[in-house]
């Protein structure tokens, strides 16, 4: 009976999540939008505008997947409710097991929905630029930056997002000094904004080697939204310094990188993964606009009012510790959520941290201790 009661309580909670999500989503409007996009795609001139057709195809795929998800969730929910009614009349261990299995599946399906209900900022549904920089720790920090790059790449793939390496600056003996990912997909920025900050890899050295000291290396993560036509703005030419390769390299491997320096703020952006110099310049400009927009949003000022002396790095707070040797433990210092499954975390399983942070952010609560205090203790 206790199992049955617990299932009933969880079913009610999940039913409330689904009802709330549908209220925000408006399924009839969603169906109408799908029909509108289908008609647009059927037009002969649709493929002529290469700048917009990918965005439209992505939107229709998202809307269809969302509709299918809610229909499937409703089906599973009704199946569980029917099983509970039968279990009220007579005990059936096999039916109870089936209900528990369906409940687990429904919990997994609605976990994403539950998180996205917490994302209400205007940019939360946009894609994201995610930049990783090796900080304290020299070569080890560069290796740590590469591990974080793998973490976020795997996370994006698991979310069915499109991932593109925009820029990389190779480390001295492997790894990266700096790298930037472009992650395209609905809610990518809303989810990943919780990852902005400094991440510490900690390895406790054996007493036999290194006098039992603790070795720490740091890498910072900065996240900014990918802007579209709805938030487009111009940067005056006088505010930009553009650096291009002085020579194009050899014929087989020409240099096509582009670097932009924003004079008022001192922000420098580099792109070297596109095939042409023009594309790298365009990508660097998109990243620069994204960074400026994120800074203006954080400071609560207009973009042209950002002052260099007032700029504080968006990633200067220590947010998470990854203890990897000899024991394993990953702990978020803002929410105190932790797990021993470090290997899974480093393979992109970070949703537990994201959900806890967004819940905390949504309720405007605090874990008490500022991350910067913890940062001091690591040095």
């Amino acid at each position: 009976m206790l199992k049955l009661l617990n299932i009933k309580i969880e079913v009610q909670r999940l039913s409330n999540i689904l009802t709330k999500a549908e209220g925000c989503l408006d399924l009839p409007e969603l169906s109408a939008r799908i029909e509108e996009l289908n008609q647009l795609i059927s037009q002969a001139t649709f493929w002529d505008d290469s700048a917009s057709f990918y965005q439209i195809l992505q939107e229709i795929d998202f809307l269809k997947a969302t509709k299918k998800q809610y229909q499937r969730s409703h089906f599973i929910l009704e199946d569980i409710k029917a099983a509970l009614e039968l279990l009220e009349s007579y005990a059936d261990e096999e039916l109870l097991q089936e209900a528990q299995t369906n409940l687990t599946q429904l919990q997994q399906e609605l976990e994403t929905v539950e998180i996205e209900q917490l994302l209400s900022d205007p940019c939360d549904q946009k894609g994201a630029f995610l930049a990783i920089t090796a900080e304290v720790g020299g070569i080890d920090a560069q290796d740590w930056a590469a591990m974080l790059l793998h973490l976020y790449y795997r996370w994006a793939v698991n979310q069915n997002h499109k991932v593109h390496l925009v820029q990389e600056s190779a480390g001295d003996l492997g790894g990266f000094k700096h790298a930037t990912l472009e992650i395209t997909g609905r809610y990518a920025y809303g989810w990943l904004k919780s990852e902005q900050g400094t991440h510490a890899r900690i390895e406790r050295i054996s007493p036999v080697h290194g006098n039992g000291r603790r070795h720490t290396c740091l890498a910072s993560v900065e996240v900014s939204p990918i802007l579209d036509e709805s938030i487009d703005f111009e940067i005056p030419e006088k505010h930009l310094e553009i650096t291009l390769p002085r020579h194009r390299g050899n014929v087989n491997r020409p240099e096509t990188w582009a670097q932009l320096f924003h004079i008022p703020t001192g922000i420098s952006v580099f792109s070297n993964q596109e095939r042409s110099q023009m594309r790298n310049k365009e990508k660097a400009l998109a990243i620069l606009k994204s960074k400026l927009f994120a800074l203006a949003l954080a400071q609560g000022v207009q973009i042209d009012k950002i002052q260099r002396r007032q700029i504080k790095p968006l990633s200067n707070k220590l947010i998470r510790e990854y203890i990897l040797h000899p024991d394993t433990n990953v702990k978020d210092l803002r929410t105190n959520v932790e797990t021993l499954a470090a290997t899974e975390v480093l393979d992109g399983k970070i949703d537990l941290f994201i959900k806890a942070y967004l819940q905390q952010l949504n309720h405007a609560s605090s874990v008490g201790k500022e991350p910067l205090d913890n940062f001091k203790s690591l040095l």
Side-chain angles (χ1 to χ4, degrees):
M1 290 301 293
L2 184 58
K3 283 185 178 180
L4 200 59
L5 179 61
N6 289 337
I7 293 176
K8 285 183 178 179
I9 294 172
E10 183 62 8
V11 164
Q12 185 59 52
R13 186 183 75 85
L14 296 177
S15 180
N16 291 339
I17 292 172
L18 193 58
T19 300
K20 182 179 178 181
E22 288 177 346
C24 298
L25 188 64
D26 193 343
L27 287 176
E29 184 177 330
L30 183 148
S31 298
R33 178 60 176 165
I34 292 175
E35 181 60 30
E36 178 186 347
L37 292 175
N38 280 330
Q39 292 179 4
L40 186 62
I41 291 174
S42 65
Q43 296 177 6
T45 58
F46 172 73
W47 302 100
D48 295 342
D49 187 358
S50 59
S52 61
F53 74 74
Y54 174 76
Q55 185 176 349
I56 293 174
L57 290 176
Q58 187 181 49
E59 180 181 359
I60 195 170
D61 286 345
F62 171 79
L63 294 176
K64 287 181 176 179
T66 301
K67 183 177 180 180
K68 184 177 180 180
Q69 175 185 317
Y70 282 100
Q71 290 173 336
R72 184 173 60 245
S73 296
H74 262 299
F75 176 81
I76 297 173
L77 184 63
E78 294 305 315
D79 199 38
I80 296 173
K81 288 180 178 179
L84 291 177
E85 288 184 7
L86 292 174
L87 289 169
E88 287 283 357
S89 303
Y90 64 93
D92 186 325
E93 189 61 32
E94 185 176 342
L95 185 60
L96 178 61
Q97 183 61 44
E98 181 182 338
Q100 288 178 317
T101 301
N102 286 338
L103 181 64
T104 300
Q105 181 181 349
L106 187 61
Q107 286 171 326
Q108 293 172 348
E109 298 217 353
L110 293 185
E111 183 176 358
T112 298
V113 174
E114 188 176 13
I115 292 175
E116 290 176 354
Q117 286 179 0
L118 304 174
L119 301 175
S120 58
D121 291 344
C123 290
D124 282 345
Q125 291 192 28
K126 300 185 182 300
F129 289 114
L130 186 143
I132 303 169
T133 304
E135 303 287 358
V136 178
I139 294 173
D140 288 329
Q142 295 167 15
D143 176 66
W144 176 224
M147 292 176 69
L148 288 176
L149 185 72
H150 171 81
L151 184 160
Y152 292 114
Y153 183 89
R154 290 297 306 159
W155 177 87
V157 169
N158 291 337
Q159 297 292 321
N160 295 317
H161 292 331
K162 183 179 179 183
V163 196
H164 175 56
L165 181 65
V166 175
Q167 177 271 333
E168 64 172 338
S169 177
D172 299 320
L173 294 174
F176 296 99
K177 294 179 180 178
H178 183 82
T180 302
L181 290 175
E182 180 182 34
I183 302 174
T184 308
R186 288 295 185 99
Y187 289 105
Y189 175 71
W191 285 61
L192 289 172
K193 67 184 182 182
S194 65
E195 294 299 293
Q196 184 156 264
T198 298
H199 299 242
R201 183 180 75 181
I202 301 172
E203 294 182 325
R204 293 188 171 92
I205 308 302
S206 167
V208 180
H209 303 286
N211 298 321
R213 297 181 62 184
R214 185 173 73 169
H215 181 72
T216 301
C217 57
L218 307 177
S220 63
V221 174
E222 184 178 340
V223 184
S224 57
I226 297 176
L227 306 181
D228 53 27
E229 301 82 13
S230 64
I231 317 179
D232 196 15
F233 58 91
E234 295 297 324
I235 300 176
E237 289 187 13
K238 64 180 181 180
H239 290 171
L240 287 176
E241 286 184 3
I242 302 174
T243 304
L244 303 174
R246 292 185 178 180
H247 57 87
R248 300 300 299 275
N250 61 54
V251 176
N252 296 324
R253 192 182 180 119
E255 292 189 64
T256 61
W257 58 264
Q259 183 171 338
L260 271 60
F261 179 77
H262 188 245
I263 299 170
T265 62
I267 295 174
S268 181
V269 177
F270 185 76
S271 176
N272 65 349
Q273 294 297 301
E274 302 296 332
R275 293 187 176 181
S276 71
Q277 193 170 89
M278 180 180 294
R279 288 289 297 151
N280 275 316
K281 184 179 175 182
E282 291 173 350
K283 189 66 68 177
L285 183 60
I287 298 172
L288 177 58
K289 286 184 175 182
S290 174
K291 286 177 175 287
L292 290 174
F293 181 82
L295 276 172
L297 201 64
Q299 294 185 11
V301 299
Q302 294 181 348
I303 292 172
D304 59 356
K305 301 296 183 183
I306 301 174
Q307 298 295 320
R308 185 190 295 215
R309 65 179 181 275
Q310 296 175 339
I311 291 178
K312 295 180 179 179
L314 299 177
S315 58
N316 67 341
K317 291 186 176 181
L318 182 64
I319 66 166
R320 195 171 301 145
E321 292 179 343
Y322 303 71
I323 298 175
L324 303 183
H325 181 79
D327 301 318
T328 60
N329 185 58
V330 182
K331 181 176 181 179
D332 195 289
L333 303 177
R334 301 161 300 177
T335 62
N336 287 329
V337 170
E338 57 187 314
T339 177
L340 300 178
T343 301
E344 293 183 8
V345 170
L346 293 175
D347 199 40
K349 304 295 196 307
I350 55 173
D351 288 359
L352 74 163
F353 299 117
I354 293 175
K355 182 178 178 181
Y357 175 78
L358 291 174
Q359 287 175 332
Q360 176 175 287
L361 194 66
N362 188 59
H363 294 94
S365 60
S366 172
V367 294
K369 189 175 184 180
E370 287 292 331
L372 280 177
D373 293 339
N374 294 330
F375 176 79
K376 296 172 185 176
S377 70
L378 288 172
L379 300 180

